[in-house]
Amino acid sequence: MTAEDEALKALRTSQTLDLLIWAAPVAFAATDQLYDEDAGHDQMVIGILNFTHLRDLLDRATANGRFKVGEGLHGLGADAVKRGISPDAFKSMPLVEDNAIMRRDYKRSPGWVAEGYRILLQSYSFGKVDQIHWGQRSDAKRKVATQQYVAAEALFTDEDFDLESVQGIPDDDEFEGITLIAAHAFNPVTKQYELYVGQSKNPQHKEDSCWHWKKRILFGGTPIGGSGLAVPPLLPGDAASTEVDDVTVRIKGRRQAEEAGAANG
């Protein structure tokens, strides 16, 4: 089993992949509603909107950020959680236990941690996932790309997963696991979108990859010119295509959230 396999397995176990598969199309749909080319919206605006929506949705589903649950409470009421998203998005929100996925930011870059892996968000222009120059990104993303790549066999001690033996980001004292990147792209003109998860790296040579490994977990949209197999335009609550066949999406029903709200008074 490769390091990529181990990472994806842990992300499935923690439901982090479930959350990304749910949040990305909802976020892109929200960005699509706000995008206005005539107002001068460009790739920077698209990236900021996607990032903002994704951060909000991940915090919403994991009770972090502005959705952080107060001491003595077991969860926010349905009214607070569903405010600002479509009914379909709320109904399909994965059910995550309190404190199962925690915020562990790095250099003010929002991160979500579970099972020894942290996910940071990074936008890019659609179709250019292999052209991300980490050295030209934020200081956080530049430092993450210097993180040591650890082969799968090095992740085990006496057949047990031992993340304390894994070297993380050199100057990060708050987290000892592995930091990964969820790279997201959405083109509001063609409605094409994609989402990758992987471990970034700073290439030593021009022909080197900017990834130790990456996995495309979402894709879709209508190709430019209408060629190929078209996918319907993205809408709030639409299901997304996925290459990760064995990911089980756990559904959070309205009734469960409403029961949590009733219990909290």
Side-chain angles (χ1 to χ4, degrees):
M1 187 174 287
T2 67
E4 173 184 345
D5 293 333
E6 288 299 328
L8 293 173
K9 179 181 178 181
L11 294 177
R12 293 186 187 103
T13 300
S14 67
Q15 294 183 262
T16 303
L17 275 186
D18 291 354
L19 288 175
L20 291 170
I21 289 169
W22 166 76
V26 177
F28 299 153
T31 295
D32 192 37
Q33 292 176 352
L34 295 174
Y35 174 77
D36 186 354
E37 185 176 15
D38 292 336
H41 291 181
D42 54 13
Q43 182 58 44
M44 182 179 71
V45 174
I46 296 168
I48 291 173
L49 288 174
N50 284 340
F51 164 79
T52 302
H53 295 143
L54 277 168
R55 179 189 59 190
D56 179 82
L57 290 164
L58 293 175
D59 278 345
R60 186 186 298 264
T62 60
N64 283 296
R66 69 189 184 97
F67 298 95
K68 187 174 180 61
V69 178
E71 186 176 353
L73 299 178
H74 296 291
L76 293 177
D79 289 344
V81 176
K82 68 183 180 181
R83 188 179 303 126
I85 62 175
S86 72
D88 285 344
F90 173 71
K91 289 178 182 178
S92 61
M93 182 188 298
L95 179 61
V96 179
E97 294 183 4
D98 292 347
N99 301 319
I101 298 178
M102 302 295 295
R103 275 285 292 267
R104 288 290 185 276
D105 299 352
Y106 177 62
K107 291 183 177 292
R108 295 184 295 180
S109 184
W112 294 265
V113 167
E115 296 287 327
Y117 288 88
R118 172 170 57 190
I119 291 287
L120 303 183
L121 301 174
Q122 178 62 59
S123 67
Y124 66 95
S125 298
F126 182 86
K128 297 184 178 181
V129 68
D130 291 315
Q131 301 175 36
I132 300 176
H133 298 287
W134 301 110
Q136 299 175 7
R137 301 289 175 164
S138 67
D139 185 45
K141 303 303 168 47
R142 179 179 60 82
K143 296 289 284 188
V144 168
T146 68
Q147 183 180 217
Q148 179 180 346
Y149 175 72
V150 181
E153 56 269 19
L155 296 176
F156 293 88
T157 300
D158 297 330
E159 298 184 353
D160 290 326
F161 201 31
D162 181 16
L163 284 167
E164 291 185 355
S165 67
V166 177
Q167 179 180 350
I169 304 172
D171 64 345
D172 185 9
D173 297 328
E174 300 298 323
F175 178 62
E176 295 180 337
I178 299 173
T179 298
L180 305 175
I181 300 293
H184 54 90
F186 171 58
N187 184 329
V189 176
T190 66
K191 312 306 180 189
Q192 290 174 283
Y193 61 94
E194 57 188 7
L195 176 71
Y196 286 81
V197 169
Q199 183 178 347
S200 59
K201 75 170 182 177
N202 290 315
Q204 296 182 349
H205 306 287
K206 184 177 181 181
E207 62 274 13
D208 287 349
S209 172
C210 58
W211 299 94
H212 288 294
W213 63 266
K214 67 181 188 300
K215 176 70 173 181
R216 188 173 70 171
I217 63 171
L218 287 174
F219 67 99
T222 305
I224 296 176
S227 61
L229 188 62
V231 177
L234 200 63
L235 294 173
D238 276 356
S241 302
T242 175
E243 288 185 336
V244 186
D245 296 331
D246 54 353
V247 172
T248 300
V249 180
R250 297 169 178 81
I251 303 301
K252 179 177 184 177
R254 180 193 300 270
R255 179 179 59 81
Q256 291 168 303
E258 289 176 344
E259 286 177 354
N264 293 331

